[in-house]
């Protein structure tokens, strides 16, 4: 149900203290060898071309993470399955990154199943965040934790056979903090618990740390920058050859515990228009999610948050999800939340990570449904209305079983919810 009078307490204000456009322009002007301008505009043929990593067939051992689903998907490469370190480096040591948020070109392009491509291809995007360095124990106490954030873009073809291995590539999320000269890349502190791709923008939930009240950080697919020929920038980007710089930040201005969190995020194309659905922060009950309205991608404003005359975006609705507790009866923060036509789907990880389930709550009828066999260690969720029906896309985080999976809702909930 919707908590009366609370929705408008969550607020986001666009950060105008930094000229992000100038930062991006400076980076693109110094991205090539010898600090020359970057190559032409980004495209999948370049991003997913020579030098990309590969994804593995879904029949590899990592599929055990979602073997209970009659679904398709893909497994990430052996390097990205590692529990120790992956291909990127931080302070001279390898870093393990784990999948977090999930979004797709169906979010970016439209609701129609025939209009689910971006730049002419179906793409699954997964957010990754650093969990530990080579000599660390992992988690919030590890110096490398959240110090690198990246996206993988993988071409998706729902009818592909297991023998096909299309490429994917990691693109590091960064910020250029120097203008008027050689660019200086720094790491935005992100956990990427939630991402949503709408139009040419990629929205990411931020991390609430100390005095930082950033709520949502924005990146732009029109500004994916190739830096592979610039060894100085490649070193600053932890060994990656492509980066996406920050183009905007929305700072949480809600009072008290009503700050916009670093939790889940998804795109909802509801009957009242597109919106971002964001899971509540740790200072609020784990049951809460809020909705922020978006302008349509083809509007004069572009695919941005709807604001008042003062430039503030306020949540237009807030909800309390039904029964998000684990098998021990303990409240559990849903790691992924999506909604479609008033039905909310959210993933719950049971105690000690032994199993998982998917809950569905119909906010119109009050019905609550559960599927107890769900991919363990699932993270973000996204909704895809495909030609053959509605699907949920998700990612799993555990080493050795890191996969992006696709579950058709008529199979998961044959009678609906």
């Amino acid at each position: 149900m919707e908590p009366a009078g609370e929705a408008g307490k969550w607020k986001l204000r666009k950060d105008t203290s930094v000229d992000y456009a100038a930062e991006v322009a400076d980076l693109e002007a110094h991205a090539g060898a010898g600090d020359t301008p970057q190559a032409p505009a980004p495209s999948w043929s370049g991003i997913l071309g020579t030098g990309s990593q590969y994804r593995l067939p879904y029949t590899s051992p990592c599929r055990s993470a979602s073997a209970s689903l009659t679904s398709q998907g893909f497994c990430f490469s052996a390097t990205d399955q590692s529990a120790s370190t992956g291909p990127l480096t931080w302070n001279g040591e390898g870093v393990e990154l784990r999948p977090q948020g999930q979004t797709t070109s169906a979010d970016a392009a439209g609701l129609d199943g025939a209009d689910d491509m971006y730049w002419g291809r179906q793409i699954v995007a997964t957010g990754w965040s650093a969990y530990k360095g080579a000599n660390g124990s992992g988690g919030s106490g590890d110096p490398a934790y959240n110090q690198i954030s990246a996206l993988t873009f993988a071409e998706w073809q729902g009818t592909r056979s297991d023998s096909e291995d299309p490429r994917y590539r990691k693109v590091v999320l960064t910020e250029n903090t120097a203008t008027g000269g050689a660019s200086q890349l720094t790491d935005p502190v992100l956990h990427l618990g939630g991402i949503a791709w709408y139009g040419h923008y990629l929205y990411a939930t931020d991390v609430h740390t100390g005095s930082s009240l950033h709520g949502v950080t924005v990146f732009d697919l029109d500004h994916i920058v190739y830096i592979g020929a610039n060894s100085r920038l490649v070193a600053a980007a932890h060994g990656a050859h492509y980066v996406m710089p920050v183009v905007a930040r929305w700072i949480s201005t809600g009072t008290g515990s009503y700050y916009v969190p670093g939790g889940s995020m998804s795109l909802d194309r509801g009957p009242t228009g597109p919106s971002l659905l964001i899971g509540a922060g740790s200072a609020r009950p784990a049951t809460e999610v809020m909705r922020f309205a978006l302008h349509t991608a083809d509007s004069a404003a572009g695919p941005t948050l709807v604001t008042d005359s003062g430039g503030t975006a306020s949540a237009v609705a807030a909800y309390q999800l039904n029964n998000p507790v684990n098998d021990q009866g303990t409240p559990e923060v849903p790691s992924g939340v999506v909604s479609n036509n008033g039905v909310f789907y959210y993933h719950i990880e049971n105690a000690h990570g032994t199993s998982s389930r998917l809950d569905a709550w119909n906010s119109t009828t009050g019905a609550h449904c559960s599927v107890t066999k769900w991919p363990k260690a699932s993270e973000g969720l996204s909704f895809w209305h495909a030609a053959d029906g509605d699907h949920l896309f998700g990612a799993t985080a555990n080493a050795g079983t890191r996969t992006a999976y696709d579950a058709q809702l008529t199979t998961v909930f044959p009678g609906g919810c």
Side-chain angles (χ1 to χ4, degrees), residues 53 74-77 79-82 86-88 96-102 125-131 146-153 168-173 190-193 195 395-397 402-404:
Q53 297 168 299
F74 58 84
C75 301
F76 293 101
S77 70
T79 304
D80 284 328
Q81 298 286 355
S82 173
L88 301 180
E96 178 194 1
L97 274 70
R98 294 185 173 184
Q100 301 294 319
Q102 184 86 316
T126 304
W128 298 66
S129 291
Y131 179 72
N146 289 342
Q147 291 302 313
I148 304 176
S149 296
L151 295 172
T152 50
F153 292 103
Y168 72 87
R169 187 192 291 274
K170 271 198 179 73
V171 176
V172 163
L173 302 180
L190 300 169
H191 186 65
L192 294 191
I195 57 176
T396 55
R402 289 173 182 155
T403 178

Side-chain angles (χ1 to χ4, degrees), residues 53-344:
Q53 297 168 299
Y54 287 82
R55 74 188 196 200
L56 302 181
Y58 200 40
T59 50
S60 77
C62 92
R63 189 178 181 179
S64 63
S66 52
S68 61
L69 297 176
T70 54
S71 62
Q72 298 190 44
F74 58 84
C75 301
F76 293 101
S77 70
T79 304
D80 284 328
Q81 298 286 355
S82 173
S84 54
T85 59
L88 301 180
T89 60
W90 183 78
N91 283 355
E93 65 176 23
V95 174
E96 178 194 1
L97 274 70
R98 294 185 173 184
Q100 301 294 319
Q102 184 86 316
T103 187
T104 72
S105 57
D107 284 341
L111 182 61
D112 186 349
D115 184 21
D116 53 13
M117 296 185 180
Y118 193 88
W119 296 341
R121 301 194 194 184
Q122 292 178 328
I123 300 292
V124 173
T126 304
W128 298 66
S129 291
Y131 179 72
K132 68 177 180 180
N135 300 312
S137 58
S140 58
D142 193 299
Y145 186 65
N146 289 342
Q147 291 302 313
I148 304 176
S149 296
L151 295 172
T152 50
F153 292 103
E155 187 171 7
W156 169 252
Q157 297 169 329
T159 59
R160 74 178 185 86
S161 68
D162 283 329
S163 63
E164 295 173 336
D165 301 328
R167 293 167 173 159
Y168 72 87
R169 187 192 291 274
K170 271 198 179 73
V171 176
V172 163
L173 302 180
T174 191
E175 182 176 358
N176 171 31
T177 56
T179 58
S183 301
Q184 178 64 50
L185 300 185
T186 60
D187 299 309
V189 180
L190 300 169
H191 186 65
L192 294 191
I195 57 176
W197 181 4
Y198 183 55
H200 55 96
Y201 286 136
L202 192 291
Y203 291 88
T205 53
D206 212 326
V207 175
H208 178 84
T209 55
S211 61
S212 172
L213 287 176
H214 290 158
V216 175
T217 302
V218 188
F219 303 86
D220 191 336
L221 270 80
D222 289 342
H223 295 285
I224 298 177
V225 184
Y226 175 69
I227 59 170
N230 189 317
S231 58
R232 177 180 63 85
L233 293 181
V234 168
H238 312 288
H241 285 190
Y242 281 83
V243 296
M244 284 179 69
V246 175
V247 299
R249 280 195 175 98
W250 291 84
I251 299 172
S252 178
T253 59
T255 60
S257 62
Y258 289 87
Y259 64 82
V260 179
S264 63
M265 178 191 285
S266 60
L267 181 76
D268 184 11
R269 294 179 179 273
T272 60
S275 60
L276 293 179
L277 194 69
I278 305 178
S282 58
R284 300 293 307 165
T287 55
E288 292 181 341
V289 294
M290 73 285 299
R291 184 186 301 279
F292 287 87
L294 291 162
H295 292 285
T296 58
D298 57 357
S299 68
T304 59
L305 290 168
V306 174
T307 65
D308 60 21
S309 59
T312 295
S314 299
V316 296
Y319 309 89
Q320 291 180 320
L321 300 177
N322 185 55
N323 195 36
V325 296
N326 60 32
D327 59 347
Q328 305 297 306
T330 304
E332 185 79 15
V333 177
S335 52
V337 181
V338 297
S339 71
N340 182 60
N341 291 329
V343 181
F344 291 75

